[in-house]
């Protein structure tokens, strides 16, 4: 995938952007699946989406004027949750740790309403770890569950690695 358009300049929310991207991505995945098989098509799509996420992380760090954890918290509040896209409960915010739970995911609701929930993890959740790698390679994401995969909440735990 090419670089994701800057949704801010388009005047749309992050959730709206994913809603625009999803139908064409799913159409491509389904078509590739007829030749390659479902698992291989999703694997390839996930790799492409994750490459895009790394670039998006780098771009976001540049656009936000830095890449510390407090900026990640700001992204959670101002970008990913914009227009009631998610309900987020922040648990810890320090210079070295950022922990929050997503208790309602509008992205999962969007994909469910579009009839493509089985692609939701590939289209959205699989972006999270590569995004942080591009944003700040010293931050690690630990997440054990997602709403997209049937859990009651997503558990995001970001930790800034200790300097060597």
């Amino acid at each position: 995938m090419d670089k994701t358009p800057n949704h801010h300049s388009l005047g749309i929310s992050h959730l709206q952007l994913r809603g625009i991207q999803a139908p064409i991505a799913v159409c491509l995945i389904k078509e590739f699946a007829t030749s390659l098989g479902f698992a291989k098509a999703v694997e390839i799509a996930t790799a492409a989406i994750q490459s895009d996420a790394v670039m998006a992380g780098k771009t976001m760090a540049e656009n936000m004027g830095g890449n510390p954890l407090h900026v990640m918290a700001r992204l959670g509040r101002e970008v990913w949750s914009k227009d009631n896209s998610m309900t987020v409960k922040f648990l810890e915010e320090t210079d070295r740790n950022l922990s929050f739970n997503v208790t309602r995911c509008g992205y999962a609701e969007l994909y469910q309403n579009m009839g493509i929930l089985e692609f939701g993890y590939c289209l959205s959740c699989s972006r999270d770890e590569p995004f942080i790698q591009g944003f700040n390679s010293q931050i690690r994401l630990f997440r054990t569950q997602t709403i997209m995969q049937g859990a009651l909440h997503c558990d995001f735990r970001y930790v800034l690695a200790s300097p060597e």
Side-chain angles (χ1 to χ4, degrees):
M1 295 174 91
D2 286 347
K3 186 176 174 184
T4 302
N6 182 333
H7 59 283
H8 298 295
S9 65
L10 299 173
I12 62 173
S13 72
H14 195 260
L15 181 64
Q16 290 169 318
L17 177 64
R18 292 288 175 255
I20 292 166
Q21 294 171 331
I24 189 65
V26 169
C27 179
L28 289 168
I29 295 168
K30 286 180 177 180
E31 189 62 32
F32 291 141
T34 62
S35 296
L36 303 171
F38 183 81
K40 188 66 174 174
V42 170
E43 177 187 330
I44 292 168
T46 300
I49 288 167
Q50 289 177 339
S51 292
D52 179 70
V54 171
M55 294 308 301
K58 289 177 183 177
T59 300
M60 190 62 76
E62 292 169 9
N63 292 344
M64 299 295 281
N67 59 0
L69 279 172
H70 72 83
V71 173
M72 283 299 300
R74 190 170 148 212
L75 287 171
R77 289 183 174 99
E78 298 175 11
V79 176
W80 300 317
S81 297
K82 185 178 180 180
D83 295 334
N84 199 29
S85 297
M86 296 187 310
T87 301
V88 179
K89 181 180 180 184
F90 284 85
L91 306 171
E92 180 181 19
E93 290 183 64
T94 69
D95 290 342
R96 304 205 66 76
N97 295 289
L98 171 63
S99 298
F100 59 86
N101 290 336
V102 174
T103 57
R104 191 192 119 278
C105 178
Y107 299 87
E109 294 165 5
L110 171 74
Y111 299 136
Q112 177 71 43
N113 291 338
M114 295 174 80
I116 58 171
L117 184 61
E118 69 270 24
F119 296 98
Y121 190 89
C122 168
L123 298 173
S124 287
C125 304
S126 75
R127 298 180 59 86
D128 296 336
E129 192 169 344
F131 178 89
I132 199 64
Q133 290 170 3
F135 184 78
N136 182 334
S137 64
Q138 297 302 307
I139 298 174
R140 299 288 176 260
L141 169 61
F142 300 94
R143 185 183 59 207
T144 64
Q145 60 187 25
T146 66
I147 293 170
M148 200 78 71
Q149 294 176 305
L152 295 177
H153 70 275
C154 307
D155 58 343
F156 285 83
R157 307 297 183 260
Y158 295 96
V159 177
L160 182 63
S162 298
E164 306 274 335

